[in-house]
């Protein structure tokens, strides 16, 4: 990339990628929900259209702005996928006021974002680890996981000798 002196490890590049990931997790939840409702065709078309847009944006912007552009496009990919799935879910008859779990996941993502933002002066591995811990703890504090998820976590903790 000749248009930018930024390296992949520059803080702005990594912050953009981390910010996009929080919405990416929400998009996975929404996509799983839409797939469970047998709307595979929408998911396929949505993914293909976004992939083409991402390819075009990267081909246009990466040569000019380097890694920062690639990171921004990656972040916007997660935003676009999440929003398109959210609009579709509402369109097919699942309004947000009936989606308390989704809103709690959104809040957990926000809590993770705040934790990552507040800890940004620390080294990157510590910030990422703290973000993961904050997200998981927030999910459990907000009672997002169901019985099956809690059972899996307990089994994992038992194998690790924590419980």
């Amino acid at each position: 990339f000749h248009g930018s002196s930024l390296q992949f490890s520059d803080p702005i590049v990594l912050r953009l990628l981390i910010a996009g990931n929080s919405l990416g997790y929400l998009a996975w939840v929404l996509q799983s929900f839409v797939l469970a409702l047998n709307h595979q065709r929408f998911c396929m078309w949505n993914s293909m259209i976004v992939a083409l847009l991402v390819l075009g944006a990267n081909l246009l912007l990466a040569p000019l702005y380097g890694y920062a552009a690639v990171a921004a496009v990656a972040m916007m990919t997660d935003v676009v996928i999440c929003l398109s799935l959210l609009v579709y879910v509402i369109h097919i008859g699942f309004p947000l006021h009936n989606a308390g779990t989704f809103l709690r996941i959104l809040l957990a993502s926000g809590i993770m974002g705040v934790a990552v933002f507040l800890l940004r002066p620390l080294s990157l591995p510590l910030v990422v680890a703290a973000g993961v811990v904050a997200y998981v703890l927030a999910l459990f504090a907000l009672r997002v996981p169901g019985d099956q998820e809690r059972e899996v976590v307990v089994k994992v903790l038992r194998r690790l000798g924590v419980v």
Side-chain angles (χ1 to χ4, degrees):
F1 299 110
H2 59 78
S4 174
S5 62
L6 288 175
Q7 298 299 315
F8 180 74
S9 61
D10 283 344
I12 187 67
V13 172
L14 296 173
R15 285 187 190 136
L16 288 170
L17 292 172
I18 291 169
N21 277 340
S22 62
L23 284 178
Y25 294 129
L26 287 174
W28 291 345
V29 171
L30 284 170
Q31 182 144 341
S32 297
F33 179 67
V34 172
L35 288 170
L37 294 173
N38 291 323
H39 291 261
Q40 291 86 348
R41 182 173 290 211
F42 172 81
C43 290
M44 180 193 66
W45 281 108
N46 189 47
S47 295
M48 287 183 62
I49 290 168
V50 171
L52 290 173
L53 290 172
V54 166
L55 177 64
N58 276 325
L59 289 173
L60 289 172
L61 299 174
L64 298 172
Y65 302 104
Y67 287 114
V70 174
V73 168
M75 181 186 77
M76 290 309 299
T77 301
D78 288 328
V79 170
V80 169
I81 289 174
C82 187
L83 290 178
S84 63
L85 288 166
L86 180 61
V87 167
Y88 186 73
V89 165
I90 292 169
H91 173 73
I92 62 173
F94 292 91
L96 276 184
H97 67 275
N98 291 337
T101 300
F102 173 76
L103 294 175
R104 290 193 304 267
I105 293 170
L106 183 61
L107 180 58
S109 295
I111 290 169
M112 177 185 67
V114 169
V116 167
F117 178 77
L118 293 175
L119 297 173
R120 69 187 183 283
L122 299 177
S123 70
L124 182 63
L126 289 175
V127 173
V128 171
V132 169
V133 169
Y135 185 67
V136 170
L137 290 176
L139 287 174
F140 278 92
L142 295 168
R143 298 183 186 161
V144 172
D147 293 335
Q148 291 176 336
E149 290 87 358
R150 281 192 284 270
E151 186 178 317
V152 168
V153 170
V154 168
K155 285 181 182 178
V156 169
L157 292 176
R158 281 188 184 143
R159 283 205 172 167
L160 294 173
V162 177
V163 175

